[in-house]
Structures are given as C-alpha cells and as structure tokens.
Amino acid sequence: MTLDDLTNVSGWLTQSRIDAAILVAINVLAALVILLVSMSISAWAKRRIVGLSNNHQKLDDTLFGFLGNLAKYLILGLGIIFILNRFGIQTTSLAALIGAAGLAVGLALQGALKNLAAGVMIIMFRPFRQGDFIEAGSESGTVSEIQLFYTVLTTYDGLQIIVPNSDIWSSSIINYSANATRMMDLTIGVAYDADLKKTQSILEDLATSDSRALSDPAPTIRVKALGDSSVDFTFRVWANSSDYWGLQSELLRKIKEEFDANDIGIPFPTRTLEVVQVPRIETAQKPVQSGAA
C-alpha cells in the first residue's frame, strides 16, 4: 500500500462517515439487545400465564395456553416495532402496508379465518372441555383436543374425527358431560289386559333397587298414554352421568325379566297376511271357420 492509497483512505474517512458508522453499529447493538429482551420477556410471560393453569386445578389448560401464546407474540411484536423505530423506519406507513396485505390474505383465506374466529370463541367461552362427550356439527364423540382451527373428537369405537371449529360454533352443541347428573326417560308399553297397579309396583321397585339410581330427584313412574296397542308408562330415573348408560342397559334387562316372570305382556307389532285365491277364468276358443272351396 502506497502513501497515495493511505491519503485516499484518510480522505474518504470523513467525520460524518465515521459518525454514521458508529450510529449504525449502536443501532444494530441496540436492536440485538431489544430483540433478546423481548424474547426473554415474552417467554417469561408465557410461562407465567401457563403456570397459572398448572397451579390451579379449576383453570383450563387450553385457554391459558392460548393466552400465553397471545401474550408472547404481542410482546415480540412490540419489540419489532421498537427495532424498526430505532432504524428510523416509519411504522405508520408499515402498518398501513401490513393492513392492506392482511386484507388481501383475509379475503383469500376466508374459510380458515372463519375457523380461527370460531376457535377463539370456543376457547374463550368454553361450551365444552377436553374429556367431554358432545354432539355438534353433525358429529359426536369425546373431545380429545381443542385447537384454534379445529376440534378433535374420538368416537365410542375409537375413530378420530377432526371437525372445523366453524361447523361446531354455527350449530347447536349438546354437551352430555356438562352436568353431573342425567335423567333417563323411557317409555314402557304393556298389553291392555295387564294389571296396571302391579305393573307400576314392579317398575317402582326396579327404579329404587339399583344403587346407581338416585333418590333425589325421586323416580317418576306414571301412565303416559293409551296407545293403539299398548298402555304406555313414563319411566324416569336420575343417575350420575358416568353411570347413565350402564344403568339404562341393566334396567331394561330387568324390566323384561320381571314382566315375563309376572305374565305382563309387552305388545309388539304383528302383521297378518291373508291369501285370497282368485278363481281361474277360462276363455272359450272361437272355432276356426274354413273358407269356401
């Protein structure tokens, strides 16, 4: 390197360029510090929010997991805005650009955004929780997972059904696990020649003989209607939701056995076929006339 080269370099390194380089280095260092601080605070905030649900049994894990992620990305977004301001980028114009791009993306992803909005509503209002057995969106099953875009159900026969959240939120939701108790509402039909007092006594004994049947509210056994071929009884028994199906199956079996033992008939549809023999009609054949020779 010659003396002329050193002279040219010293002439290029003016005070303004040195100050600009120092300013860029300071801004880069500050941006790294802001980014690291934002990442640390966002991770800490997420851990704190998620930890609330872990420390308190009544708080829902899915809801606080969603809130933790929301807080994390909000803090990171604020950190990015501070970094852009540090480099002199006008965030107002950038926000307008992001808004326009977001509008275009939103129009292209209407279905996904609809599922996202429904997922947020489900997570916030909690019409059901993990482990509940529900019927919604023309599907039924046990809720195994709730995501922002879809809900995963597991059917009684072990199948997995992924239902879009918009289908669930836009339809009626039946939550079979929401209440601790359920009422079994059966209609029991007996023959018209059956002893009604004896029938009611048998049904009342069966409703109170099983320990799974609750005494409060008390069972209801009443004559409901005089049907076309049977006298119908209303048979209502309350049970814990976990005992519902087992108790119903057991009571139906016992009702049939007790009715058979006490000669109480249970009518069932019958069909009588009458075969009518139609007499055969023989048609006389017309004699063939021969032509004249």
Side-chain angles (χ1 to χ4, degrees):
M1 181 178 292
T2 62
L3 183 61
D4 293 337
D5 294 334
L6 293 174
T7 303
N8 292 333
V9 171
S10 61
W12 181 82
L13 289 175
T14 61
Q15 187 61 40
S16 59
R17 290 178 176 174
I18 294 174
D19 294 340
I22 294 174
L23 181 60
V24 170
I26 293 174
N27 287 335
V28 171
L29 182 61
L32 291 175
V33 172
I34 293 173
L35 181 61
L36 293 176
V37 171
S38 300
M39 293 176 64
S40 300
I41 295 177
S42 63
W44 173 83
K46 180 181 178 180
R47 286 196 304 269
R48 291 288 296 177
I49 295 174
V50 173
L52 290 175
S53 63
N54 295 331
N55 297 331
H56 298 82
Q57 191 72 20
K58 294 183 178 180
L59 299 181
D60 186 70
D61 294 338
T62 306
L63 174 60
F64 279 81
F66 167 73
L67 294 177
N69 286 325
L70 183 62
K72 174 183 176 180
Y73 291 119
L74 284 177
I75 295 173
L76 289 176
L78 290 176
I80 293 174
I81 291 175
F82 283 130
I83 292 174
L84 294 177
N85 285 330
R86 187 71 188 181
F87 286 98
I89 299 175
Q90 296 296 326
T91 56
T92 54
S93 59
L94 181 62
L97 180 62
I98 294 175
L103 178 61
V105 173
L107 293 175
L109 301 175
Q110 291 184 18
L113 292 178
K114 188 177 180 181
N115 288 328
L116 174 62
V120 172
M121 299 296 286
I122 290 174
I123 291 174
M124 295 297 294
F125 290 98
R126 311 308 298 161
F128 52 83
R129 301 174 183 272
Q130 287 182 333
D132 289 351
F133 187 88
I134 68 169
E135 181 179 336
S138 72
E139 302 291 348
S140 61
T142 302
V143 179
S144 58
E145 190 176 355
I146 304 174
Q147 296 292 340
L148 286 177
F149 292 93
Y150 58 87
T151 297
V152 181
L153 303 179
T154 301
T155 63
Y156 69 93
D157 54 350
L159 298 179
Q160 184 186 74
I161 303 177
I162 299 176
V163 186
N165 285 333
S166 60
D167 293 347
I168 295 177
W169 190 252
S170 61
S171 63
S172 299
I173 301 174
I174 302 176
N175 191 340
Y176 293 95
S177 306
N179 298 326
T181 59
R182 288 182 61 184
M183 184 186 71
M184 183 188 311
D185 190 3
L186 302 176
T187 299
I188 308 298
V190 297
Y192 266 93
D193 59 356
D195 188 337
L196 299 185
K197 290 184 179 180
K198 186 177 182 180
T199 301
Q200 181 156 343
S201 177
I202 292 173
L203 293 177
E204 289 175 350
D205 291 341
L206 290 175
T208 57
S209 62
D210 198 303
S211 61
R212 292 171 293 182
L214 301 179
S215 58
D216 186 21
T220 301
I221 315 294
R222 296 288 187 273
V223 175
K224 176 181 180 181
L226 301 178
D228 294 336
S229 59
S230 64
V231 179
D232 297 332
F233 279 82
T234 292
F235 185 84
R236 292 175 179 171
V237 177
W238 285 85
N240 293 323
S241 297
S242 58
D243 298 331
Y244 180 85
W245 294 111
L247 178 61
Q248 176 174 287
S249 176
E250 183 69 13
L251 286 177
L252 288 174
R253 182 183 62 83
K254 288 182 177 180
I255 288 173
K256 177 63 169 61
E257 292 175 351
E258 290 296 323
F259 281 4
D260 290 345
N262 291 273
D263 294 327
I264 298 176
I266 299 177
F268 52 88
T270 59
R271 178 178 297 177
T272 302
L273 298 178
E274 183 178 354
V275 180
V276 178
Q277 185 174 1
V278 180
R280 182 178 179 183
I281 301 176
E282 296 183 359
T283 58
Q285 295 183 353
K286 187 178 179 180
V288 181
Q289 298 179 357
S290 58

